[in-house]
Amino acid sequence: MINVGIAGASGYTGVELVKLISNHPETKLCAVTSNSYKDSSLTDIFPSMRGFGRGFENLICEELDIQSLARKIDIMFLALPHKISMEHVPALLDHKIKVIDLSADYRFTNAASYESVYQEHTSKHLLEQSVYGLSEIYRNQIKESNLVGNPGCYPTSILLPLLPLLKEGLILPDGIISDSKSGVSGAGRTLSLTTHFCEANESFTAYKIGNHRHTPEINEILSIHAQQKVSITFVPHLLPLTRGMLSTIYAQATDNATEEKIRKTFHAYYSDEPFLRILDKNMYPAISHVRGTNCCDIGFHFDERTKKIIIISAIDNLLKGAAGQAVQNMNILFGLDDQTGLNSFQGPL
């Protein structure tokens, strides 16, 4: 069994990790931590978890004490705020504990890019050994890693459909636009006026136009694969939904692109990937079709008139955009099938 610890278990992503690990046939959940709810049972924080026979009542949130954790866990999921993770990762690695960090602290190879939108990085040397945890793209590197920087939810929904087309020269690296929408849970449990029910309900708004912190993350990965600088236009929107994410992406096709080549490229990259679903012609993703799953649905339209490729992708922001992909990365790290512990469907029919 893989002995698991989850830091930040009282957040939306943290509790999704608790549920997934508790149902995973190859893992044992040995520790959960939370500064906000120290000494509280998970069932006191999330009453919906009562009475399932999985011992949730006995899971008491403790302090993140690495000396204590080192004696009982093999891997630590860090569902912590940016900057807090980097305070703990060096010590966890020193104690031979594998780390999957769900903050942005280890997603970048370029420390300056990280610092331009977050804060000073205090363990820059570890960026050289961290692996970007986009499971289907970096599988081989993840297998050999002890530190995985789990991607952001918006980047996951944008990079998965774009990277195959960019790498195969079917889209130009210039002029890419993503119009993306997320449910309110993407902002976490911290209270704010923007995510207040009365502000978000029956409304739809764009936010952080031109300065969203995921933009440098997306640009860095696109630039690596394009082998030149890429600057995407990314506009996020807040949907009056609890969970779910949909991105509509516009890219200019190259001269050799055809609808058939685009479809063949998606299938060549993803036909063997259990969580990537390429939809048939004239079929497009919907948030309700991926909610409660670790899937990313991708559909596209090739506009012959303008030579634009319009791609639609949908994910559950708390699963494929966070906890689900983190568990998928754990499976890859330990040589398990990607679907282990992730093949149940919890969404609406």
Side-chain angles (χ1 to χ4, degrees):
M1 299 293 283
I2 303 166
N3 296 318
V4 176
I6 299 171
S10 59
Y12 291 140
T13 297
V15 75
E16 291 293 332
L17 283 167
V18 169
K19 294 174 184 176
L20 291 172
I21 294 300
S22 297
N23 284 285
H24 196 291
E26 302 293 336
T27 62
K28 179 181 179 183
L29 183 54
C30 298
V32 291
T33 81
S34 172
N35 284 342
S36 303
Y37 292 91
K38 183 177 176 293
D39 297 328
S40 296
S41 164
L42 273 183
T43 52
D44 291 336
I45 306 167
F46 296 101
S48 62
M49 300 174 70
R50 293 172 181 162
F52 281 92
R54 297 189 179 277
F56 290 137
E57 290 84 358
N58 299 322
L59 282 173
I60 308 300
C61 292
E62 56 187 273
E63 286 186 293
L64 208 171
D65 183 339
I66 294 173
Q67 294 289 341
S68 173
L69 291 171
R71 296 191 291 270
K72 54 187 178 183
I73 66 171
D74 305 307
I75 185 168
M76 191 76 179
F77 292 93
L78 297 177
L80 299 171
H82 314 300
K83 192 175 183 179
I84 303 300
S85 286
M86 73 175 79
E87 295 175 4
H88 303 289
V89 167
L92 287 165
L93 295 177
D94 286 345
H95 283 84
K96 310 301 181 185
I97 299 169
K98 293 181 182 291
V99 176
I100 296 179
D101 177 30
L102 288 92
S103 81
D105 288 359
Y106 296 94
R107 294 175 188 164
F108 291 76
T109 58
N110 186 335
S113 295
Y114 171 87
E115 292 176 343
S116 69
V117 286
Y118 293 97
Q119 60 273 314
E120 182 182 358
H121 205 292
T122 57
S123 54
K124 294 182 178 69
H125 63 289
L126 292 179
L127 297 179
E128 298 176 1
Q129 60 180 272
S130 66
V131 173
Y132 192 67
L134 196 61
S135 305
E136 289 77 12
I137 302 298
Y138 290 98
R139 180 184 310 281
N140 291 334
Q141 295 93 320
I142 293 167
K143 286 179 182 178
E144 306 300 322
S145 179
N146 291 316
L147 173 58
V148 175
N150 216 60
C153 46
Y154 281 125
T156 296
S157 73
I158 294 168
L159 293 170
L160 285 173
L162 279 180
L163 289 177
L165 304 184
L166 195 60
K167 291 175 72 174
E168 296 303 319
L170 295 176
I171 59 173
L172 296 175
D174 298 325
I176 300 171
I177 299 170
S178 184
D179 176 46
S180 302
K181 305 95 179 169
S182 175
V184 181
S185 60
R189 293 189 76 195
T190 302
L191 299 177
S192 72
L193 181 61
T194 304
T195 57
H196 191 289
F197 177 82
C198 295
E199 301 293 329
N201 186 48
E202 299 185 20
S203 184
F204 178 52
T205 182
Y207 67 100
K208 294 185 179 177
I209 300 169
N211 64 350
H212 194 281
R213 294 188 296 185
H214 282 171
T215 305
E217 178 183 339
I218 298 166
N219 285 339
E220 181 173 278
I221 300 300
L222 289 176
S223 298
I224 289 170
H225 289 270
Q227 297 184 320
Q228 66 180 85
K229 185 177 180 180
V230 179
S231 295
I232 190 172
T233 299
F234 168 53
V235 183
H237 298 73
L238 186 66
L239 287 171
L241 304 173
T242 299
R243 61 198 294 166
M245 177 169 287
L246 189 141
S247 288
T248 303
I249 307 163
Y250 306 87
Q252 186 68 45
T254 55
D255 291 340
N256 65 326
T258 65
E259 184 172 322
E260 182 181 10
K261 284 182 179 179
I262 296 165
R263 189 164 298 282
K264 283 185 176 180
T265 296
F266 278 134
H267 283 288
Y269 274 74
Y270 294 140
S271 61
D272 294 330
E273 296 293 347
F275 298 120
L276 269 289
R277 304 189 297 202
I278 308 303
L279 305 190
D280 292 339
K281 185 175 182 177
N282 296 325
M283 294 183 65
Y284 302 102
I287 285 174
S288 61
H289 299 165
V290 296
R291 189 182 299 123
T293 79
N294 195 50
C295 292
C296 175
D297 283 1
I298 298 172
F300 74 93
H301 172 74
F302 182 51
D303 191 327
E304 292 281 0
R305 179 179 58 86
T306 63
K307 299 300 179 183
K308 293 280 189 184
I309 301 173
I310 304 166
I311 313 165
I312 315 291
S313 70
I315 62 172
D316 185 320
N317 60 295
L318 294 179
L319 290 174
K320 186 59 175 171
Q325 185 157 228
V327 172
Q328 186 179 358
N329 285 328
M330 180 197 71
N331 288 339
I332 295 170
L333 277 171
F334 287 92
L336 304 174
D337 185 276
D338 280 33
Q339 298 181 79
T340 309
L342 289 169
N343 53 8
S344 62
F345 177 72
Q346 302 170 354
L349 296 177

